[in-house]
């Protein structure tokens, strides 16, 4: 990025401690560069050169509207998090996790399945798709083993080596 493109009050992507974060330019620094605020941590940082900036992040928002948004989210979280009925109502809108989809597939069928069969059934039924991992069956198998470590509280039963069913 070029120095002439940087505007005070603008939000830009920047490398701060080898991480790409969004910063807001607060003012120019008398020693050169800019004083900025890391928007993920709200800490002050100094951007010495325009080369550390990687382009505009988003349209500038006023501090008051950003504060209102955060306050609205906080209020919504407090009201939803309290009772189990509202949590259950919002859970129906969310996508199923891999292990929840596996449990649903096992509950719908009478036969035992291994992890690869469960992944195929979950994908075919549209309950869950892999976000791009190379071995989703290994991840599911590991999650089921962690669940089995809970003992009687486990939602799965290991029938034989590598094959599982849902606890009734």
């Amino acid at each position: 990025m070029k120095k002439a493109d940087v505007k005070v009050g603008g939000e830009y992507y920047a490398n701060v401690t080898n991480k790409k974060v969004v910063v807001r330019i607060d003012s120019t620094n008398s020693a050169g560069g800019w004083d900025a605020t890391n928007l993920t941590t709200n800490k002050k940082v100094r951007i010495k050169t325009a080369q550390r900036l990687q382009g505009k992040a988003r349209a500038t928002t006023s501090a008051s509207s950003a504060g209102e948004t955060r306050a609205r989210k906080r209020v919504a979280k407090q009201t939803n998090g309290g009772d189990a009925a509202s949590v259950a109502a919002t859970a129906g809108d969310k996508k199923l996790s891999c292990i929840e989809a596996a449990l649903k597939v096992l509950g719908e069928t009478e036969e035992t399945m291994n992890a690869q069969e469960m992944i195929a059934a979950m994908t075919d039924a549209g309950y869950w798709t892999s976000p791009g991992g190379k071995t989703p069956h290994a991840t599911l198998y590991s999650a089921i083993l962690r669940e089995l470590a809970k003992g009687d509280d486990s939602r799965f039963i290991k029938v034989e080596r590598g094959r599982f069913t849902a606890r009734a």
Side-chain angles (χ1 to χ4, degrees):
M1 205 166 173
K2 296 187 177 174
K3 187 175 180 179
D5 296 335
V6 179
K7 305 271 189 269
V8 173
E11 294 180 1
Y12 301 91
Y13 289 112
N15 281 330
V16 177
T17 63
N18 292 328
K19 293 179 185 165
K20 187 175 181 180
V21 297
V22 178
V23 296
R24 182 183 57 240
I25 304 296
D26 297 326
S27 64
T28 56
N29 191 301
S30 59
W34 300 271
D35 294 321
T37 303
N38 181 341
L39 294 180
T40 55
T41 61
N42 286 327
K43 291 188 177 183
K44 300 290 181 185
V45 293
R46 179 163 172 233
I47 307 295
K48 292 182 181 180
T49 65
Q51 293 169 340
R52 289 196 44 201
L53 299 174
Q54 299 176 348
K56 284 197 166 283
R58 55 184 172 234
T60 308
T61 59
S62 66
S64 63
S65 67
E68 289 171 9
T69 304
R70 279 190 218 114
R72 238 183 277 125
K73 286 180 183 177
R74 203 172 21 244
V75 169
K77 187 175 182 180
Q78 288 171 351
T79 57
N80 282 348
D83 62 330
S86 63
V87 172
T90 58
D93 301 340
K94 292 183 183 178
K95 291 186 347 184
L96 293 175
S97 71
C98 181
I99 198 158
E100 290 169 346
L103 193 63
K104 189 170 183 178
V105 164
L106 287 173
E108 292 173 352
T109 183
E110 296 293 321
E111 60 190 51
T112 63
M113 293 181 152
N114 66 22
Q116 287 183 335
E117 293 168 346
M118 284 186 258
I119 292 291
M122 293 180 325
T123 304
D124 292 343
Y127 296 144
W128 181 84
T129 57
S130 174
K134 294 181 181 176
T135 56
H137 60 278
T139 304
L140 175 61
Y141 185 81
S142 175
I144 291 173
L145 290 181
R146 284 192 306 271
E147 180 82 18
L148 286 172
K150 295 178 182 177
D152 292 336
D153 294 336
S154 172
R155 298 177 286 179
F156 294 91
I157 298 171
K158 187 172 187 177
V159 178
E160 60 185 74
R161 183 175 182 225
R163 300 193 70 79
F164 306 96
T165 187
R167 188 176 298 270

